[in-house]
Amino acid sequence: MTDQDKMKALMLDAPNAPFRLTDLPKPVPGPGQVLVRIEASGVNPLDTKIRAGAAGHARHPLPGILGIDLAGTVEALGPDVEGFQPGDAVYGMTGGVGGVPGSLATHAAVDARLLAPKPAGLSMRAAAALPLIVITAWEGLVDRAHLAAGQTVLVQAGGGGVGHVAVQIALALGARVYATHRGSHGAYIESLGALPIDTSKTEIGEILQEHTGGRGFDVVFDTVGGAVLDASFQSVKRFGHVVSALGWGQHALAPLSFKSATYSGVFTLLPLLTGEGRERHGAILREASRLADAGRLSPRLDPRLFDLETAADAHDAVAAGTTAGKVVVSIS
């Protein structure tokens, strides 16, 4: 096997095992696939749960290559691919789950439907931070809640990964945006153009009275789950909508029923796991690229730099919750 036929990849042999940097045959793109030379791989909390074997909804057979998000350059096209050419800069949520090889490697053969042109104004590192969180936020606000200009939206944990992107999308859609935090992200949320609400200091009833006259918000986007989802049911207005990316556990729906409000969930992995709806992911990322290039969407990046040899440190930082923005591993 010549150097041109090889790629570098981080293999995970067992849950919580050390990553193993190795040479593998470079994949050949099949029908509908694009060979991407990966330049950056985003690290999400979900990636660390998959590594630990703690994500029953997102199993990944091992040994395997992790990494859900990527940004890179098209190197070759498989049969029946339209809309891309070698040399195109792209990004997408393309693997690292369900047996689909991930982005902690120098190359990946990925379904072209999952890709979109990279925002011209963002670096590869910044672009790799976006796919999972921007698709989750877009599906929640646009596809499920149908957020419209002039509506009020409350984003729970608005300084977090999905939250800070949801705030920006909601603002771009013309909504009046409020975002909760617990003492540490208020200034950042305000810098985005939303009104921060410190839930460590203010009770739900006070929040509703102060900001909505007691009526509640048109849309509440929960990015936390658990008790925060229950609080979201209390925070929505009559005939409003609650959407959650973490609808685990048991929750009483009576607070929604009494208001004739509705609820929906977002499971961003579904197209990747099942093959259904992959075109929608590519379409959402194209919309996100337009927002980014218009200056309306930008990820908050952790300033630390990681590469394939220090990717384990990146995972550890995300798992420990010590990050100040999205963590990205530079590949090339």
Side-chain angles (χ1 to χ4, degrees), residues 36-254:
V36 178
R37 184 175 72 253
I38 302 169
E39 300 190 38
S41 171
V43 183
N44 300 284
L46 179 58
D47 291 291
T48 68
K49 293 176 183 176
I50 292 171
R51 183 187 179 193
H57 64 296
R59 292 187 179 91
H60 193 48
L62 301 177
I65 304 170
L66 303 190
I68 292 172
D69 292 334
L70 65 74
T73 304
V74 174
E75 191 168 282
L77 307 178
D80 305 320
V81 172
E82 298 180 357
F84 294 103
Q85 296 295 329
D88 287 348
V90 295
Y91 72 137
M93 178 182 140
T94 61
V97 65
V100 181
S103 55
L104 287 176
T106 58
H107 293 81
V110 304
D111 189 330
R113 296 174 294 175
L114 297 169
L115 294 173
K118 180 187 77 66
L122 295 185
S123 66
M124 287 288 184
R125 186 166 169 261
L130 280 175
L132 173 62
I133 57 176
V134 83
I135 292 170
T136 302
W138 192 279
E139 286 191 345
L141 292 173
V142 179
D143 294 355
R144 305 290 189 275
H146 307 294
L147 184 66
Q151 288 187 309
T152 57
V153 58
L154 177 67
V155 178
Q156 302 280 26
V162 174
H164 84 288
V165 167
V167 166
Q168 294 176 75
I169 291 172
L171 287 167
L173 292 171
R176 287 182 288 155
V177 183
Y178 304 77
T180 64
H181 68 101
R182 295 190 66 82
S184 59
H185 294 295
Y188 173 69
I189 289 168
E190 193 168 18
S191 75
L192 294 177
L195 195 151
I197 300 173
D198 188 344
T199 55
S200 68
K201 299 178 180 179
T202 312
E203 297 294 329
I204 294 174
E206 296 174 300
I207 292 171
L208 296 182
Q209 190 60 45
E210 179 180 355
H211 300 294
T212 72
R215 292 183 297 275
F217 300 91
D218 292 302
V219 173
V220 182
F221 192 174
D222 162 50
T223 69
V224 182
V228 175
L229 178 53
D230 291 323
S232 298
F233 293 159
Q234 298 178 49
S235 302
V236 72
K237 69 185 296 186
R238 292 173 183 168
F239 308 106
H241 189 79
V242 175
V243 61
S244 178
L246 287 167
W248 305 111
Q250 296 181 347
H251 300 275
L253 297 180

Side-chain angles (χ1 to χ4, degrees), residues 4-29:
Q4 289 186 337
D5 298 324
K6 293 189 296 186
M7 72 172 187
K8 292 285 186 184
L10 279 187
M11 295 294 294
L12 183 69
D13 295 313
N16 280 328
F19 285 119
R20 174 170 55 88
L21 186 59
T22 188
D23 289 326
L24 293 175
K26 186 187 299 185
V28 176

Side-chain angles (χ1 to χ4, degrees), residues 299-317:
R300 189 182 191 189
L301 294 177
D302 187 282
R304 288 171 289 183
L305 301 178
F306 301 95
D307 57 21
L308 282 177
E309 293 185 348
T310 58
D313 296 331
H315 268 242
D316 291 344

